[in-house]
């Protein structure tokens, strides 16, 4: 976290420029240094060793150790590598889109953080241009550009925030799918401006229509080919066509998990942090959420990876949802102690908000859909009279 003077941009705490790992990818040169703020300390784990590997079962642990030793890992800022590299906190780690909450009275910042290690798998790819690809491959290019960051490389989504697209053809018609993509829905923006002319390709990919099988590299190349083709509008680009090798990270936005399906790193997987911006010190840090089936007796919560952020009130409470245990919790803003919780119909899918009607204050949160209500809920809470 960087804490800056808003008038001058100068850091209020010391920042060191340190050397970082070099890239071994042919033709690529990584910047040799990166800035490291000395205060506040990082709110997400940035170092991982074999001792940090999850040990829920001997077999799963052995598998993780074998994979960990096969990867390149030189700590924070390890570049993607042809042999595969470890990325921590990961592209889904750290502070997510839910943002932080700030208490102006105490200058304390409340931020939720994830520890979500990721394996980056870089490969050299070759293949035809986008116009030569089959419909499903062109659809994959569209999905990679506009959908993958939310619904995942495997289309399985994130049960807390983004629905799985597996088996979509059994739940929705072609027309309904295209209308939703064009018009948007909830957190999903409208893509009407980029869908035109790609309808068949999008449906071919989302519905997994059977075609001749193509390699993963050929499928992912479509987006790169499209970008290169767009450059050919100028005479200069035709004279100086880029002939450099192309490398793709084929596992971006994924999670490093063991064969048991759980994260490769020991809990806690998510924390709620209270940081005093005047001193740069932590007031408290507690696990955010829980996997009850994994919590050992007498030990803290495991934490639960999620994207929604917290909200702090003048009444001294910090509210946070978005955990796999479906809990909506209120914490004492001074101590981090849980003072109230409720089990929601499904996982919270937004940062909470507050409003008042006729002098009475309410706390509202969006909740993901479930089998009874696929569209989800908006739930509001208030103190009793």
């Amino acid at each position: 976290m960087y804490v800056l003077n808003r008038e001058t941009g100068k850091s209020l705490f010391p920042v060191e420029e340190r050397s970082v790992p070099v890239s071994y990818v042919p033709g690529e040169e990584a910047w040799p240094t990166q800035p490291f703020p000395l205060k506040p300390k990082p709110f997400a784990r940035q170092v991982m060793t074999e001792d940090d590997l999850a040990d829920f079962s001997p077999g799963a642990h052995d598998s993780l150790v074998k994979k960990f030793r096969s990867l390149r890992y030189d700590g924070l800022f390890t570049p993607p590598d042809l042999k595969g590299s470890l990325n921590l906190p990961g592209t889904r780690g750290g502070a997510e889109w839910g943002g932080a909450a700030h208490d102006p009275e105490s200058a304390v910042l409340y931020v939720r953080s994830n520890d979500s290690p990721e394996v980056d798998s870089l490969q050299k790819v070759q293949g035809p241009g986008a116009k030569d690809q089959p419909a499903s491959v062109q659809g994959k290019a569209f999905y990679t550009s506009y959908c993958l960051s939310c619904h995942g490389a495997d289309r399985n989504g994130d049960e807390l925030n983004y629905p799985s697209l597996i088996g979509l053809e059994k739940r929705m018609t072609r027309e309904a799918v295209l209308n939703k993509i064009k018009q948007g829905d909830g957190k999903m923006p409208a893509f009407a401006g980029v869908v035109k002319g790609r309808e068949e390709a999008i449906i071919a990919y989302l519905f997994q229509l059977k075609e001749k099988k193509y390699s993963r590299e050929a499928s992912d190349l479509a987006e790169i080919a499209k970008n290169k083709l767009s450059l050919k509008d100028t005479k200069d680009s035709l004279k100086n066509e880029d002939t450099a090798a192309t490398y793709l990270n084929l596992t971006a936005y994924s999670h490093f998990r063991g064969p048991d399906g759980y994260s490769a790193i020991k809990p806690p997987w998510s924390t709620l942090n209270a940081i005093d911006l005047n001193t740069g010190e932590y007031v408290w840090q507690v696990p955010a959420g829980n996997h009850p089936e994994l919590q050992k007796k007498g030990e803290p919560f495991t934490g639960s990876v999620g994207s929604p952020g917290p909200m702090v009130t003048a009444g001294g409470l910090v509210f946070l949802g978005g955990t796999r245990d479906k809990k909506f919790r209120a914490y004492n803003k001074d101590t981090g102690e849980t003072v109230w919780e409720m089990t929601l119909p499904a996982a919270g899918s937004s940062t909470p908000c507050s409003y008042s009607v006729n002098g009475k204050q309410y706390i509202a949160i969006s909740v993901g859909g479930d089998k009874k209500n696929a569209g989800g809920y908006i739930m509001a809470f208030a103190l009793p009279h």
Side-chain angles (χ1 to χ4, degrees):
M1 177 185 294
Y2 297 87
V3 184
L4 310 178
N5 182 313
R6 66 179 178 182
E7 294 182 349
T8 66
K10 183 178 179 180
S11 176
L12 299 182
F13 301 110
V15 177
E16 286 184 353
E17 195 76 13
R18 300 176 185 171
S19 297
V20 292
V22 300
S23 173
Y24 299 142
V25 177
E28 179 175 89
E29 184 177 356
W31 196 259
T33 63
Q34 290 290 340
F36 287 76
L38 303 188
K39 271 192 173 185
K41 293 180 180 179
F43 48 74
R45 283 181 280 184
Q46 299 184 339
V47 177
M48 186 173 175
T49 68
E50 282 191 23
D51 290 338
D52 297 311
L53 292 173
D55 54 0
F56 296 117
S57 69
H61 180 73
D62 291 344
S63 175
L64 290 173
V65 170
K66 182 179 180 180
K67 181 65 176 179
F68 182 83
R69 291 177 178 175
S70 73
L71 300 170
R72 179 188 175 187
Y73 182 54
D74 301 320
L76 195 64
F77 294 109
T78 299
D81 195 90
L82 292 174
K83 68 174 290 186
S85 59
L86 179 65
N87 182 351
L88 183 77
T91 51
R92 295 191 178 190
E96 278 285 350
W97 53 256
H102 176 249
D103 180 11
E105 291 184 352
S106 61
V108 172
L109 189 78
Y110 301 91
V111 58
R112 184 238 192 93
S113 175
N114 297 327
D115 292 332
S116 181
E118 171 184 314
V119 174
D120 292 333
S121 304
L122 205 64
Q123 291 188 26
K124 184 177 180 179
V125 293
Q126 295 177 338
K131 62 182 180 180
D132 302 315
Q133 301 283 3
S136 63
V137 175
Q138 295 181 49
K140 172 66 179 294
F142 178 91
Y143 181 88
T144 301
S145 298
Y146 302 104
C147 316
L148 183 146
S149 61
C150 294
H151 293 283
D154 55 5
R155 297 182 295 118
N156 255 321
D158 180 335
E159 65 183 67
L160 294 178
N161 303 297
Y162 308 106
S164 169
L165 301 182
I166 302 296
L168 184 64
E169 67 280 3
K170 299 177 182 179
R171 306 193 302 270
M172 297 179 66
T173 65
R174 176 186 186 277
E175 291 72 21
V177 170
L178 290 174
N179 284 337
K180 180 160 287 195
I181 295 173
K182 292 175 182 178
Q183 299 172 12
D185 182 38
K187 288 180 293 186
M188 177 179 169
F191 292 104
V194 293
V195 167
K196 189 175 182 180
R198 304 179 182 180
E199 291 87 350
E200 295 300 327
I202 294 169
I203 292 298
Y205 176 69
L206 291 179
F207 283 16
Q208 294 291 283
L209 300 182
K210 290 184 178 180
E211 291 180 324
K212 176 184 175 181
K213 291 187 177 180
Y214 288 79
S215 68
R216 177 73 180 268
E217 291 87 349
S219 299
D220 288 344
L221 190 67
E223 177 65 15
I224 289 179
K226 182 190 71 174
N227 292 339
K228 288 185 176 181
L229 289 171
S230 69
L231 294 175
K232 292 187 177 182
D233 292 335
T234 65
K235 293 181 180 180
D236 290 340
S237 65
L238 290 173
K239 295 178 182 179
N240 302 289
E241 185 173 356
D242 184 6
T243 59
T246 295
Y247 297 88
L248 287 179
N249 178 11
L250 300 180
T251 53
Y253 306 106
S254 62
H255 300 280
F256 180 19
R257 292 190 173 106
D260 54 8
Y262 294 116
S263 176
I265 197 170
K266 291 178 180 177
W269 295 317
S270 181
T271 57
L272 180 59
N273 308 272
I275 307 172
D276 188 330
L277 298 184
N278 287 325
T279 65
E281 301 292 341
Y282 281 69
V283 181
W284 48 263
Q285 182 184 68
V286 297
N290 194 28
H291 286 253
E293 75 279 11
L294 299 177
Q295 184 188 11
K296 296 180 181 179
K297 187 176 181 179
E299 293 193 1
F301 284 178
T302 64
S304 173
V305 172
S307 299
M311 181 194 71
V312 61
T313 70
L317 297 176
V318 178
F319 289 88
L320 179 69
T323 56
R324 294 185 185 275
D325 54 15
K326 303 179 183 179
K327 299 289 188 180
F328 186 35
R329 293 182 173 91
Y331 302 82
N332 182 308
K333 76 170 187 178
D334 296 322
T335 66
E337 177 187 2
T338 299
V339 297
W340 173 84
E341 68 175 35
M342 179 178 180
T343 302
L344 301 172
S349 57
S350 73
T351 298
C353 70
S354 180
Y355 63 96
S356 65
V357 177
N358 297 326
K360 187 171 185 177
Q361 185 179 9
Y362 296 83
I363 306 295
I365 183 172
S366 294
V367 181
D370 58 15
K371 292 182 179 179
K372 294 181 180 179
N373 184 357
Y377 311 76
I378 294 179
M379 300 186 69
F381 303 86
L383 291 174
H385 291 292

